[in-house]
Amino acid sequence: MIGPDLMGSLAQLGTAGLIGMMWLSERKSAQEHERQIREAHARLIDGKIELEALLGVVRANTAALETIGNQQRELNDLVRQSIRTGADDRRKSERS
């Protein structure tokens, strides 16, 4: 904000002083607004980088879980096949 000494000096100038005071006040507000925009932009960029890292981890975890699921299905199929083969062998031996 404008200090009292500067405001007093500008007030002595009349209308021109008032316009000058308004212009200085607007410039100070605009600079503050620009600073806030820069800070918000920096936070968004940082957030984007963090989000990309998080998505990378999620993708890697998804791929790992998919691999584990496929391996479990294969193991399940092998166990079922082994059970069927064992049952067939037992039937054959019982017939003999």
Side-chain angles (χ1 to χ4, degrees), residues 26-36 38:
E26 184 278 328
R27 285 307 316 141
K28 184 164 178 72
S29 294
Q31 287 174 345
E32 176 65 18
H33 185 254
E34 289 170 7
R35 183 190 62 77
Q36 291 172 347
R38 279 193 307 274

Side-chain angles (χ1 to χ4, degrees), residues 7 11 18 28 37 47 51 54 72-73 83 89 92-94:
M7 198 185 285
L18 180 61
K28 184 164 178 72
I37 288 174
L51 180 59
L54 177 61
Q72 285 180 338
R73 277 188 283 287
I83 290 170
D89 290 345
K92 287 179 185 177
S93 67
E94 290 173 358

